[in-house]
């Protein structure tokens, strides 16, 4: 049972935050005073700034260390990991957290997409930029709610570097960047041609990945007055089936009984639970007798893959089987082509006209387990109960497979004969940008128009039509025929399957049109350098639409929730930014942005920064920022959402102990349908972010940065708390009552709406250490990134829960939990034409609780009733090497998860079968990639 816990705010922390705010506010006053010094400005011509821009600012500067913490990832750092896509690499960053969307979650709402979630605040709160400008969001919203940018549309070979602004919110790029900004910077010019090819395969000989890239360019902007280049990236990755890992302990099986678990493990099918009053979704089928207990149909031994099953054991415990091992993919099949092109033309003194064109097409196919014929789900008309009551799926009294003749028997059956549920996503992404930049007197300007869009078609097979299924099972004169099940499924015709399982589809579109204009200049010389000013304005129009899957608007697809949205946003914004090196040792910065939404919401959001450099080798820095995000069309537009999650039942299992008449099967986090309605009265989310850090560079080969940070998000837009909805009785329950007491049946569905939850506060420390040694003829480079989460608190209705170090919050994507520590440690040895790199990736253990503290509940138990108390830590090691045979020809190879570490068993997450998606490389096992690169001069 979830108990509520309140945590008083720390007086010391509040004092610290207040002090930072006062310091930074004082800095803004100094900036204003500097601008107001018009006499000095008029008498003295300011020094021109060197043209260096860093993510988080539009003011050119003379060094890359700003008051805000920015992690710069070079192309070499990406290459040494062996990752072949931008998404795969970014999801290894230590700042990534819960809410991250892996491409392997093929059965999720945003299947086929890949997104990053800085600080665990969700992919929708992380702003992803391409060359400093936005991209159209992925067509499918994560969890049916959070719109995000799909990272898989970016060709890796065109990437020059990635800059991650980690202090949250951005007055420059958009106040909706509550968790931070990821700026993927592509090549700006290129001459010559590079051809790359790679081939990857796992240690089991599957998951083969073939990839080829051609990058070619011509023209020199400085001498020829123009440059044009393109990058073409094509590839195909084969699917890996769960069954392909059946010898990898718990990874390749849903049956975790050999490791001490019971029949209630979430991926073990067919078991009779709660004393035989629920469960029984097996390949043979089972029905309820007149006492409300399940009776198994014959044929279990010939249909299951689990040894020792027969008709007698099926009657006692259900027909245990492992549908995931038979049907589910571990990774989906993927085919893609990515194209990026850029052309630039010089004019006048430093002027440039530029254009960028991007196109991506990706097809993803994911196979999942067969559909059941009963359950609970929802649609705009409300929840549907196909388990019991008038809407129950039944075998008719005269159905030839009904073991209780004359009784309309409620049925539990997994439609293995229909086949797996298969999802095919085909997504096209386009991006067109045209702009001009240059100088006009003392001013530098940059203006551009951007159009970007996605068009996604989602097709599904293997799903069941509710009314047609009930007709074929209960009506002997059904127009589609009579559906024979279990052992007699061989008697069915294809026409029957076409009747009960039609092809269904949905279509999602998103567009982005944006115009921006920015000017910057030096105003005057201060003691530490020139005072820089940037002024910008932006207009953007976004639209997102998703048509519901066929028949889901009528509640007619069994187990498939309704998801649809449609809406448009117009946003007008303006900002001003100042950078003032008031002393040689002291730099102040400030920015103010105002966003106005066409719907009426608007807000001014500031960002302030300070950097003090008392000596060449040390700098102290701090920043404060505010964020603002208006509801998106999925949250307050037209539509709704019906999804699935895990939740505890405080009625059948109060305090973690079975109620009278219940069993241990009723305890722990169990699958339930979550029905969520849009809310027209939602308020915008707001945030306040703080960071304080130190930068040390005691030698030219040693650097250390440590930054403490906090982000507090208020009016958080989220699904209503599942536990609170259950406690309030907003649920649909089955009729397997405990001792006949009303309202005690198993939970089928929970009714919620999008609400403005009180707040989320995340606090942590980031450390980045880099060291280079010259040893003999070679060079050794070492670096370490460490993100430590101190608090991850969510406050709702004056109740605070801390998820740091636990398996919560399971209301967000994948239920992957919130580990306190993530560490990446990399080394590279370079000598002549050779280089060898190794990267160790560490993720700390998690308590298997829904939240921290004595009031938190463990989310699963072993067969003997003892709690599963933790999910173990996980460490992998990746190795790569490069050999430049000639100046033009390079060979490279990599091995991910060199020591073939197996991911810890995780019985709680629903994102992977018995493993946590954070530990994905431990599910795949050792993976080899070989490649070659040829450079044409």
């Amino acid at each position: 049972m979830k108990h509520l816990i309140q945590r008083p705010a720390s007086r010391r922390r509040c004092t610290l935050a207040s002090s930072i705010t006062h310091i930074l506010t004082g800095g803004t006053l100094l900036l204003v005073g500097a601008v107001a010094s018009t006499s000095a400005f008029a008498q003295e011509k300011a020094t021109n700034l060197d043209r260096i821009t860093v993510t988080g600012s539009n003011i050119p500067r003379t060094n890359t260390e700003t008051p805000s913490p920015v992690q710069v990832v070079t192309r070499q750092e990406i290459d040494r990991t062996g990752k072949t896509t931008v998404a795969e690499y970014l999801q290894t960053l230590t700042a990534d957290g819960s809410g991250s969307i892996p491409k392997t979650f093929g059965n999720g709402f945003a299947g086929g997409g890949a997104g990053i979630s800085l600080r665990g605040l969700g992919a929708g709160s992380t702003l992803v930029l391409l060359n400093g400008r936005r991209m159209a969001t992925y067509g499918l919203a994560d969890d049916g709610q959070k719109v995000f940018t799909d990272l898989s549309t970016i060709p890796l070979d065109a990437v020059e570097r990635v800059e991650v602004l980690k202090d949250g919110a951005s007055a420059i790029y958009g106040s909706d960047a509550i968790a931070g900004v990821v700026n993927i910077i592509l090549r700006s010019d290129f001459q010559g041609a590079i051809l790359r090819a790679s081939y990857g395969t796992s240690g089991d000989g599957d998951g083969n990945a073939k990839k080829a890239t051609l990058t070619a360019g011509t023209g020199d902007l400085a001498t020829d007055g123009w440059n044009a280049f393109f990058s073409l990236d094509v590839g195909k990755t084969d699917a890996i089936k769960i069954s392909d890992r059946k010898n990898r302990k718990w990874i390749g099986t849903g049956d975790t009984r050999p490791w001490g678990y019971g029949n209630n493990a979430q991926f073990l099918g067919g078991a009779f639970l709660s004393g035989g009053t629920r469960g029984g979704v097996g390949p043979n089928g089972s029905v309820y007798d007149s006492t409300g207990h399940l009776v198994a149909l014959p044929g279990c031994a010939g249909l299951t893959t689990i040894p020792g099953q027969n008709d007698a054991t099926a009657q006692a415990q259900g027909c245990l089987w492992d549908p995931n091992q038979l049907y589910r993919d571990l990774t989906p099949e993927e085919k893609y082509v990515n194209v990026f092109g850029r052309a630039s033309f010089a004019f006048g003194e430093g002027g440039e006209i530029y254009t960028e064109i991007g196109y991506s097409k990706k097809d993803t196919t994911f196979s999942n387990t067969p559909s059941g014929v009963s359950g609970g789900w929802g649609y705009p008309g409300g929840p549907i109960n196909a388990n019991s009551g008038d809407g129950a799926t039944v075998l008719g009294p005269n159905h030839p497979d009904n073991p209780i003749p004359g009784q309309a028997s409620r049925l539990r059956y997994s439609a293995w004969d229909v086949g797996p549920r298969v999802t095919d996503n085909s997504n096209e992404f386009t991006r067109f940008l045209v702009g001009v930049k240059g100088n006009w007197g003392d001013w530098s300007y940059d203006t551009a128009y951007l159009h970007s869009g996605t068009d996604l078609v989602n097709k599904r097979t293997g799903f069941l039509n509710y009314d047609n299924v009930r007709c074929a099972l209960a009506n002997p004169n059904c127009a589609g025929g009579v559906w024979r099940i279990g052992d007699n499924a061989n008697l069915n015709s294809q026409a029957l399957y076409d009747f009960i399982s039609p092809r269904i589809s949905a279509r999602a579109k998103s567009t982005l049109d944006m115009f921006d204009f920015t000017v910057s200049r030096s105003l005057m010389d201060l003691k530490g350098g020139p005072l820089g000013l940037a002024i910008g304005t932006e207009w953007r129009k976004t639209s997102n639409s998703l048509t519901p899957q066929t028949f889901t608007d009528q509640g007619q697809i069994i187990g498939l929730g309704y998801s649809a949205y449609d809406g448009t946003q117009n946003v007008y914004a303006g900002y001003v930014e100042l950078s003032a090196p008031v002393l040689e040792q002291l730099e102040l910065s400030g920015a103010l942005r105002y966003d106005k939404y066409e719907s009426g919401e608007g807000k001014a959001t500031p960002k302030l920064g300070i950097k003090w450099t008392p000596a060449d080798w040390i700098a102290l820095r701090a920043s404060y920022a505010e964020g603002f995000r208006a509801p998106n069309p999925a949250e307050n537009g037209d539509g709704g959402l019906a999804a699935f999650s895990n939740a505890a039942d405080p009625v059948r299992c109060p305090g973690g102990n079975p109620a009278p008449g219940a069993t241990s099967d009723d305890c722990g986090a169990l699958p339930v349908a979550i029905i969520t309605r849009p809310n027209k009265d939602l308020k915008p989310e707001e945030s306040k972010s703080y960071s304080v850090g130190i930068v040390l560079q005691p030698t030219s080969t040693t650097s250390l940065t440590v930054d403490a940070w906090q982000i507090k998000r208020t009016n958080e837009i989220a699904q209503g708390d599942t536990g609170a909805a259950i406690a309030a009785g907003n649920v649909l329950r089955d009729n397997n009552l405990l001792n006949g007491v009303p309202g005690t049946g198993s939970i089928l569905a929970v009714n919620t709406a999008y609400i403005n939850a009180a707040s989320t506060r995340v606090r942590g420390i980031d450390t980045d250490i880099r060291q280079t040694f010259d040893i003999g003829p070679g060079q050794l480079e070492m670096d370490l990134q460490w993100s430590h989460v101190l608090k991850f608190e969510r406050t709702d209705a004056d109740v605070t829960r801390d998820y740091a170090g636990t398996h919560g919050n399971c209301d967000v994507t994948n239920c992957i939990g919130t580990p306190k520590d993530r560490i990446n440690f990399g080394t590279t040895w370079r000598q002549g034409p050779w280089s060898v790199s190794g990267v160790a990736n560490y993720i700390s253990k998690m308590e298997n609780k829904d939240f921290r503290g004595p009031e938190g509940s463990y989310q699963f138990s072993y067969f003997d009733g003892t709690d599963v108390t933790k999910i173990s830590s996980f460490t992998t090691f990746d190795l790569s090497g490069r050999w430049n045979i000639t100046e033009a020809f390079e060979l490279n190879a990599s091995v991910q998860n060199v020591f073939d570490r197996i991911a810890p068993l995780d019985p709680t997450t629903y994102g992977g079968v018995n493993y946590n998606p954070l530990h994905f490389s431990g599910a795949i096992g050792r993976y080899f990639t070989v490649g070659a690169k040829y450079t044409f001069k």
Side-chain angles (χ1 to χ4, degrees):
M1 179 178 179
K2 292 183 178 179
H3 294 280
L4 306 180
I5 180 171
Q6 289 182 287
R7 300 183 187 278
S10 167
R11 173 182 291 252
R12 180 174 179 273
R13 292 179 185 125
C14 289
T15 303
L16 175 62
S18 178
S19 299
I20 296 171
T21 304
H22 290 157
I23 292 170
L24 297 177
T25 303
T28 299
L29 295 176
L30 285 174
L31 290 175
V32 173
V35 176
S37 302
T38 56
S39 60
F41 172 62
Q43 296 172 7
E44 189 175 3
K45 182 175 175 65
T47 303
N48 288 328
L49 296 175
D50 293 337
R51 197 66 183 174
I52 301 173
T53 56
V54 180
T55 294
S57 173
N58 272 331
I59 297 178
R61 53 188 295 114
T62 56
N63 61 72
T64 58
E65 285 294 345
T66 71
S68 295
V70 178
Q71 180 180 350
V72 180
V73 180
T74 64
R75 180 55 192 264
Q76 289 73 23
E77 289 180 75
I78 298 174
D79 287 342
R80 72 181 184 180
T81 64
K83 306 299 184 185
T84 58
T85 68
V86 173
E88 284 181 299
Y89 177 79
L90 289 179
Q91 288 173 347
T92 67
L93 295 180
T94 59
D96 189 35
S98 57
S100 182
I101 305 164
K103 71 172 186 177
T104 55
F105 194 34
N107 61 328
F109 273 96
I116 183 173
S117 171
L118 293 177
R119 309 307 189 192
L121 290 174
S125 292
T126 301
L127 179 58
V128 176
L129 305 174
L130 189 64
N131 289 339
R133 289 184 170 93
R134 294 172 181 251
M135 304 163 60
T137 57
Y138 189 55
L140 299 175
D142 178 36
D143 286 339
Q145 173 200 359
K146 311 172 191 75
V147 295
F148 68 97
T149 301
D150 180 19
L151 298 168
S152 59
T153 60
I154 302 168
L156 179 61
D157 204 54
V159 174
E160 181 179 291
R161 68 186 185 277
V162 178
E163 296 181 351
V164 184
L165 179 67
K166 300 197 292 185
D167 60 349
S170 172
I172 306 304
Y173 304 114
S175 57
D176 55 340
I178 287 175
V181 177
V182 177
N183 189 10
I184 301 166
I185 300 170
L186 306 186
R187 302 176 190 268
S188 58
D189 61 76
F190 183 77
Q191 291 177 298
I194 296 177
L195 179 64
R196 294 177 184 259
S198 66
Y199 181 83
T201 188
S202 75
D204 292 85
D206 53 18
N208 300 332
K210 299 177 281 290
K211 179 178 178 180
T213 302
L214 173 64
T215 302
T218 184
D220 185 276
L221 195 63
T223 59
D224 301 327
W226 63 280
N227 174 263
F229 77 94
F230 75 94
S231 182
L232 172 65
D233 186 13
V234 295
K236 180 179 183 297
T237 303
D238 295 336
I240 299 177
K241 309 293 291 186
I242 286 283
S243 58
D244 294 333
R245 295 297 180 270
K246 61 185 176 183
N247 296 321
R248 196 170 175 79
K249 294 187 176 179
W250 45 80
I251 301 299
T253 177
D255 184 6
T256 53
R257 292 177 301 164
W259 295 277
Y261 293 83
N263 290 355
N264 64 332
Q266 64 170 315
F267 294 108
L268 177 65
F272 290 170
L273 304 173
S274 303
T277 62
R278 66 182 180 90
V281 185
N284 59 324
S286 56
V287 298
Y288 284 97
D289 63 17
S290 59
T291 68
H293 290 79
L294 287 162
V295 176
L297 275 65
C300 178
L303 297 171
T304 181
T305 57
I306 296 179
Q309 304 296 300
N310 53 49
D311 287 348
T313 61
Q315 291 297 348
Q317 65 176 0
C319 181
L320 304 183
W321 75 311
D322 196 341
N324 290 280
Q325 190 175 103
L326 290 171
Y327 301 100
R328 181 163 168 161
D329 287 338
L330 185 65
T331 64
E333 178 186 86
E334 195 174 70
K335 294 180 288 186
Y336 62 88
V337 55
N338 293 326
V339 182
F340 174 79
R342 191 177 196 276
S344 53
F345 306 89
F347 70 91
E349 292 293 329
E352 180 184 338
I353 298 173
Y354 57 92
T355 183
E356 296 175 0
I357 299 175
Y359 174 80
S360 171
K361 188 175 190 303
K362 183 173 67 170
D363 297 317
T364 305
T365 303
F366 185 86
S367 177
N368 203 0
T369 54
S371 175
V373 300
S374 54
W377 64 95
Y379 77 114
I384 292 179
N385 180 5
N387 267 2
S388 57
D390 294 339
T393 303
V394 300
L395 280 181
N398 301 313
H399 192 286
D401 297 322
N402 191 341
I404 311 175
Q407 171 186 296
S409 304
R410 292 187 291 132
L411 177 66
R412 300 291 180 269
Y413 177 58
S414 180
W416 63 270
D417 52 314
V418 173
R421 290 169 292 172
V422 178
T423 300
D424 287 290
N425 280 330
S426 180
N427 184 48
E428 287 190 275
F429 168 83
T430 55
R431 182 177 184 268
F432 171 74
L433 172 77
V434 60
V436 59
K437 61 183 178 181
N439 301 311
W440 182 39
D442 293 330
W443 293 89
S444 296
Y445 63 89
D446 189 351
T447 183
Y449 168 73
L450 168 69
H451 174 77
S452 183
T454 62
D455 189 352
L456 183 145
V457 177
N458 176 280
K459 298 178 180 178
R460 305 192 188 206
T461 59
F463 289 79
L464 300 176
N465 182 285
Y466 179 44
D467 280 349
N468 291 0
V469 162
R470 292 205 294 169
C471 175
L473 291 172
N475 183 357
N477 300 313
C478 181
V482 175
W483 184 12
R484 303 299 300 275
I485 63 174
D487 225 12
N488 295 313
N490 62 304
L491 303 176
N492 295 317
S493 66
Q494 185 60 47
L496 170 81
Y497 290 127
D498 293 340
F499 176 68
I500 63 175
S501 180
R503 291 178 179 269
I504 60 176
S505 65
R507 189 167 188 174
K509 289 186 175 184
S510 70
T511 61
L512 166 66
D513 288 280
M514 188 174 84
F515 172 80
D516 61 61
F517 181 76
T518 302
V519 294
S520 63
R521 65 164 294 165
S522 299
L523 293 177
M524 59 182 293
D525 282 340
L526 302 177
K527 290 185 177 181
L531 170 65
L533 167 70
I535 303 172
T537 185
E538 173 188 310
W539 165 82
R540 68 178 187 271
K541 179 180 179 180
T542 61
S543 65
N544 296 85
S545 65
L546 171 64
T547 61
Q549 284 285 341
T550 316
F551 303 122
T552 58
D553 55 341
Q554 306 163 36
Q556 283 296 305
I557 301 299
I558 294 176
L560 183 59
Y562 172 86
S563 179
Y565 41 83
D566 187 13
T568 300
Q569 283 183 336
N570 276 284
V571 185
Y572 306 87
Y575 72 87
V576 60
E577 178 190 6
L578 287 166
S579 176
V582 293
L583 300 172
E584 290 186 6
Q585 298 83 18
L586 182 64
E587 176 186 350
L588 302 175
S589 65
L592 181 67
R593 181 184 183 92
Y594 183 78
D595 289 277
K596 178 66 175 179
Y597 287 77
E598 191 177 40
S599 56
E601 296 93 350
K603 186 175 177 63
T605 52
K607 185 162 188 176
L608 305 170
I610 181 172
K611 188 179 78 168
W612 179 45
T613 310
D616 290 342
W617 58 274
I618 183 172
L620 302 176
R621 62 188 179 190
S623 67
Y624 168 79
E626 294 183 9
F628 172 81
R629 184 182 78 84
N632 65 47
E635 295 163 335
N636 72 347
D638 297 322
L641 169 69
F644 291 89
S645 185
N646 293 336
D649 188 341
V651 172
R652 297 178 72 89
C653 188
N657 299 306
T663 71
S664 60
D665 295 336
D666 294 297
C667 295
L670 304 174
V672 296
I674 309 292
I675 301 169
T676 310
R677 301 179 305 278
N679 185 350
K680 299 286 186 181
D681 297 324
L682 288 173
K683 299 177 182 178
E685 292 182 342
E686 298 183 6
S687 71
K688 294 182 178 181
S689 308
Y690 307 86
S691 74
V692 180
I694 184 170
V695 180
L696 299 174
Q697 191 168 6
T699 72
S700 61
T701 60
T702 306
S703 68
L704 166 68
T705 65
V706 180
D707 292 283
W709 52 269
Q710 174 179 291
I711 301 174
K712 183 174 182 180
R713 181 171 61 186
T714 56
N715 287 334
E716 184 180 70
I717 300 172
Q719 295 176 353
D721 184 80
T722 304
I726 293 173
N730 295 324
V731 297
L732 173 68
R733 291 184 177 272
D734 207 344
N735 66 355
N736 57 332
L737 305 179
L738 300 178
N739 301 320
V741 177
T744 60
S746 299
I747 297 174
L748 297 175
V750 181
N751 293 306
T752 66
Y754 291 119
I755 61 172
N756 288 109
S759 67
T760 293
R761 182 172 59 172
V762 191
R763 181 188 300 141
I765 299 173
D766 286 343
T767 302
D768 192 314
I769 305 172
R770 297 175 187 270
Q771 175 68 57
T772 301
F773 299 97
D774 291 321
I775 304 176
Q779 187 177 70
L780 179 65
E781 301 170 358
M782 306 173 69
D783 62 272
L784 179 145
Q785 294 82 44
W786 173 19
S787 291
H788 176 69
V789 178
L790 294 166
K791 293 284 185 183
F792 198 116
E793 296 177 328
R794 179 176 174 180
T795 302
D796 194 3
D798 297 325
V799 176
T800 299
R801 297 186 178 98
D802 187 1
Y803 299 110
T806 74
H807 213 309
N809 176 5
C810 275
D811 285 340
V812 299
T813 300
N814 287 325
C815 182
I816 65 175
T818 311
K820 280 192 172 184
D821 296 287
R822 293 188 66 171
I823 300 174
N824 293 338
F825 174 63
T827 60
T828 299
W829 171 259
R830 304 181 191 277
Q831 181 176 343
W834 295 87
S835 70
V836 179
S837 299
V839 180
N841 308 280
Y842 169 81
I843 300 172
S844 63
K845 68 178 181 180
M846 296 180 286
E847 278 193 278
N848 194 36
K849 282 188 172 183
D850 47 4
F851 55 90
R852 289 180 70 183
E855 302 297 325
S857 301
Y858 288 108
Q859 300 197 71
F860 216 81
S861 60
Y862 294 103
F863 176 71
D864 62 6
T866 59
D867 293 318
V868 179
T869 59
K870 70 174 184 177
I871 308 301
S872 299
S873 64
F874 186 58
T875 304
T876 58
F877 185 73
D878 302 329
L879 185 67
S880 66
R882 296 179 179 277
W883 177 29
N884 291 101
I885 300 176
T886 68
E887 288 187 2
F889 186 51
E890 174 194 285
L891 292 177
N892 54 76
S894 67
V895 186
Q896 297 183 60
N897 194 0
V898 171
F899 301 110
D900 202 22
R901 293 288 308 279
I902 297 177
L905 197 159
D906 186 342
T908 304
T909 180
Y910 50 85
V913 179
N914 299 324
Y915 71 90
N916 195 298
L918 285 173
H919 308 147
F920 172 68
S921 61
I924 295 294
R926 197 179 284 119
Y927 195 89
F928 303 89
T929 302
V930 294
K933 168 185 163 183
Y934 190 83
T935 302
F936 299 88
K937 298 295 186 180

